Amino acid sequence: MYPLHREREQPIFSARAHVFQIDPATKRNWLPASKHAVTVSFFYDASRNVYRIISVGGTKAIINSTITPNMTFTKTSQKFGQWADSRANTVYGLGFSTEQQLQQFAEQFKEVKEAARLAREKSQERFELANTALNIAAPQLSQGLSEDRHSPPLLTVNGPGEEKLFRSKSAEVELTVEKERVKKMLSEGSMCEINLEAELFTLQDSNAKLVAALQEANGSVDQWKKQLAEYQEETDRLRDQVAELESQLGHPAAGQPGKEELTRSLEELEALLSAKDQEIHNLQSKKTDVGELEKEKEEAVQRLQDVERRNTELEDRVQSAEKTLASNREDQEQVEVEVRRIIEVLDVKIGDLSSLRESLAKLVDM
């Protein structure tokens, strides 16, 4: 209950239940008005002599139903009940955790309904008595104005020489009617206050959510910067690995990306990382709203994905270079084996030629 109305309205019964409202489109399905069980209370407004059922979820009044004698609370199951509110043009439903709580709420609804009926009957009786007094006082007032002696003055102002003023019962009736009109205006003003307070609480809640979203976005920027630093370290490691492979290979093999291409890829990656660092710096220096920050966040995530893809491509190239280096080493070993084999064959041929020369020399000597 809002603080402005606690002095005027007092709770007479409270229970916890899940609140539902009928779907205005289908008039069949129930729509949940609260995410969890909330407090549902009966309140009595002594100034207006009315009873209300009120429930507040967060900063919003989800039930504000004035009880009238023609309302009926119906138990549709062991733990569920409902009633129709013609003023609010809806049907409220309550789901309780136990059957006993439902029974207690139904009994309280019946008692409050009876109290509302008695209050209305008393109000009608007072109104009828006021009308009767007005009808009786009207002819008497006319007669008193025509014949002064038949209606002695009730109040004299400024002595016997001045004009006499009379106060009749009709004036009291008019005062009562005026009071009722003022009470009605105050009641309408109270409803406006409730709506304004609910709207104020909603705006405060939205503002708190926006501040939380902005803080979360700032935290995300720090996290992105940390990820970029990790990518920078990974790039340096890959650069060192490529330099080591190039020193081992000596020169790029055919069909393999050369040193210039790898260097160019590294320079592009470094330029991309530098641009990313600059964007993060701009994000921290600018004061943008949550919408623009979310948009830049999506762009940053996309660019981070591009960096990851480029890193993956660079790793694939490094792996290809390693495979090519291993293949070249195997080919070189095979060539060396073949050369050794040819040398061995040549040695054998040279030995045969030497033997043949010796044989020819012997034949010449003979």
Side-chain angles (χ1 to χ4, degrees):
M1 192 62 193
Y2 297 103
L4 293 177
H5 305 280
R6 286 180 178 173
E7 297 180 357
R8 192 178 66 189
E9 291 184 297
Q10 298 296 329
I12 57 179
F13 179 81
S14 297
R16 293 189 64 83
H18 291 270
V19 181
F20 300 86
Q21 288 189 14
I22 200 70
D23 188 353
T26 62
K27 298 296 183 180
R28 293 182 179 179
N29 301 326
W30 289 106
L31 300 178
S34 61
K35 296 181 180 179
H36 49 78
V38 296
T39 301
V40 182
S41 303
F42 288 87
F43 280 86
Y44 174 63
D45 187 349
S47 63
R48 295 190 297 160
N49 198 21
V50 296
Y51 295 86
R52 293 197 298 169
I53 300 177
I54 296 177
S55 178
V56 179
T59 59
K60 180 181 179 183
I62 55 180
I63 297 180
N64 187 2
S65 177
T66 301
I67 300 177
T68 59
N70 57 350
M71 284 185 177
T72 302
F73 184 80
T74 305
K75 294 188 289 186
T76 58
S77 67
Q78 293 181 351
K79 299 180 181 180
F80 193 86
Q82 67 183 49
W83 78 94
D85 190 340
S86 58
R87 295 184 179 180
N89 193 23
T90 187
V91 179
Y92 293 104
L94 298 179
F96 297 90
S97 58
T98 63
E99 184 177 357
Q100 182 181 3
Q101 292 179 354
L102 174 61
Q103 182 64 27
Q104 292 176 352
F105 189 90
E107 292 175 356
Q108 187 65 40
F109 193 98
K110 184 177 180 181
E111 294 178 3
V112 171
K113 173 184 173 182
E114 180 65 19
R117 184 185 65 80
L118 294 176
R120 174 175 289 187
E121 290 179 356
K122 290 181 180 179
S123 177
Q124 289 178 352
E125 289 177 359
R126 287 196 299 267
F127 183 73
E128 291 175 357
L129 289 175
N131 287 337
T132 304
L134 180 62
N135 294 331
I136 294 175
Q140 291 179 354
L141 181 61
S142 300
Q143 183 179 1
L145 292 175
S146 59
E147 299 179 1
D148 185 52
R149 64 179 182 273
H150 295 291
S151 180
L154 298 178
L155 181 64
T156 304
V157 180
N158 295 332
E162 298 291 337
E163 183 181 357
K164 298 178 180 180
L165 301 178
F166 299 96
R167 179 180 177 184
S168 64
K169 293 183 180 180
S170 61
E172 295 179 356
V173 173
E174 291 178 359
L175 183 60
T176 303
V177 173
E178 182 66 18
K179 287 182 179 180
E180 293 294 333
R181 187 178 66 83
V182 172
K183 288 181 180 180
K184 184 177 180 181
M185 293 175 62
L186 290 175
S187 174
E188 294 175 354
S190 299
M191 295 301 297
C192 293
E193 289 176 1
I194 292 176
N195 295 332
L196 290 175
E197 288 177 359
E199 184 177 358
L200 176 60
F201 290 146
T202 302
L203 291 176
Q204 290 177 349
D205 183 61
S206 300
N207 186 35
K209 290 180 179 179
L210 289 175
V211 172
L214 183 58
Q215 293 176 352
E216 182 180 359
N218 291 333
S220 299
V221 170
D222 296 335
Q223 184 178 1
W224 299 337
K225 189 172 183 179
K226 183 178 179 181
Q227 291 180 355
L228 284 176
E230 294 176 356
Y231 289 142
Q232 182 68 43
E233 294 177 358
E234 182 70 14
T235 302
D236 295 338
R237 185 185 65 81
L238 292 175
R239 187 191 301 116
D240 296 338
Q241 190 174 0
V242 170
E244 182 181 356
L245 290 173
E246 289 180 352
S247 63
Q248 293 178 0
L249 185 60
H251 60 278
Q256 176 186 348
K259 178 179 179 181
E260 294 80 4
E261 185 176 355
L262 291 176
T263 303
R264 185 170 58 254
S265 299
L266 289 174
E267 291 176 353
E268 292 177 356
L269 186 58
E270 290 176 352
L272 183 60
L273 291 174
S274 299
K276 191 62 189 177
D277 288 336
Q278 183 63 31
E279 289 179 2
I280 290 178
H281 180 71
N282 294 336
L283 279 175
Q284 292 176 343
S285 61
K286 291 189 300 183
K287 292 182 179 179
T288 58
D289 58 6
V290 177
E292 294 177 355
L293 194 57
E294 288 294 334
K295 183 177 180 181
E296 293 180 2
K297 175 183 175 182
E298 294 177 357
E299 294 177 356
V301 171
Q302 183 64 33
R303 292 179 180 176
L304 283 175
Q305 293 176 354
D306 294 339
V307 171
E308 292 177 352
R309 180 176 55 80
R310 295 296 300 272
N311 280 339
T312 303
E313 293 177 357
L314 188 56
E315 288 178 353
D316 293 340
R317 291 185 179 182
V318 170
Q319 292 176 359
S320 177
E322 290 177 349
K323 292 179 180 179
T324 303
L325 178 61
S327 177
N328 289 340
R329 287 180 177 175
E330 292 177 357
D331 293 342
Q332 185 177 0
E333 291 176 357
Q334 291 178 0
V335 170
E336 290 177 355
V337 171
E338 185 68 22
V339 169
R340 285 196 297 269
R341 189 181 62 80
I342 292 174
I343 291 174
E344 291 175 357
V345 172
L346 289 177
D347 291 340
V348 173
K349 295 295 183 181
I350 291 173
D352 293 340
L353 288 175
S354 298
S355 299
L356 184 58
R357 279 181 186 176
E358 292 177 356
S359 300
L360 289 175
K362 291 179 181 180
L363 290 174
V364 171
D365 292 339
M366 293 177 61

